[in-house]
């Protein structure tokens, strides 16, 4: 059972090649795969900003995707799935994560 009192609200900005990444899906997945903690998802706004609450402080893998033609965006492939290069070590003191992504070639 997850202790709801441990939830942490995370904020940040996501950019792609220096520009705000709008309407992108951002997912925080527990790095240890703990199914009880679960995945937290949100969308970025017109300035690339996001806010999401995770169930517990810990390390998360971060996935970022912005659908393109009905499927995953190939420019963001290194930030998707289990192999994502993005991580966030979330705690009460550490809850703002900005990511400046580079397009895949």
């Amino acid at each position: 059972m997850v202790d709801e009192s441990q939830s942490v609200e995370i904020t940040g900005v996501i950019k792609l090649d220096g520009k705000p990444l709008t309407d992108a899906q951002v997912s925080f997945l527990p790095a240890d795969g703990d199914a009880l903690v679960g995945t937290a998802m949100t969308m970025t706004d017109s300035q690339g900003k996001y806010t999401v609450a995770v169930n517990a402080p810990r390390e998360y893998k971060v996935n970022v995707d912005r659908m393109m033609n009905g499927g995953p965006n190939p420019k963001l492939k290194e930030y998707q799935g289990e192999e994502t290069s993005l991580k966030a070590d979330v705690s009460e003191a550490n809850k703002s994560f900005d990511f400046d992504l580079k397009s895949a070639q």
Side-chain angles (χ1 to χ4, degrees):
M1 189 77 181
V2 173
D3 181 355
E4 293 288 327
S5 67
Q6 288 194 316
S7 84
V8 179
E9 188 172 271
I10 302 169
T11 60
V13 176
I14 297 182
K15 293 182 179 177
L16 180 62
D17 299 325
K19 297 185 179 101
L21 186 60
T22 62
D23 301 320
Q25 181 177 310
V26 185
S27 306
F28 283 77
L29 301 92
D32 62 7
D34 187 339
L36 292 177
V37 173
T39 301
M41 282 194 287
T42 190
M43 300 291 285
T44 58
D45 68 10
S46 61
Q47 280 104 40
K49 294 179 184 171
Y50 70 91
T51 302
V52 66
V54 294
N55 287 330
R58 63 180 56 217
E59 186 173 27
Y60 288 86
K61 292 180 180 181
V62 182
N63 281 337
V64 177
D65 194 12
R66 185 167 189 265
M67 297 303 269
M68 190 170 177
N69 301 323
N73 188 328
K75 288 183 177 180
L76 298 170
K77 67 183 177 202
E78 75 178 88
Y79 311 114
Q80 299 167 352
E82 284 295 313
E83 303 307 311
T84 180
S85 60
L86 304 177
K87 304 248 185 297
D89 194 6
V90 177
S91 68
E92 267 308 314
N94 194 23
K95 51 189 177 186
S96 179
F97 298 93
D98 294 345
F99 297 105
D100 198 353
L101 313 179
K102 303 288 180 229
S103 291
Q105 299 306 316

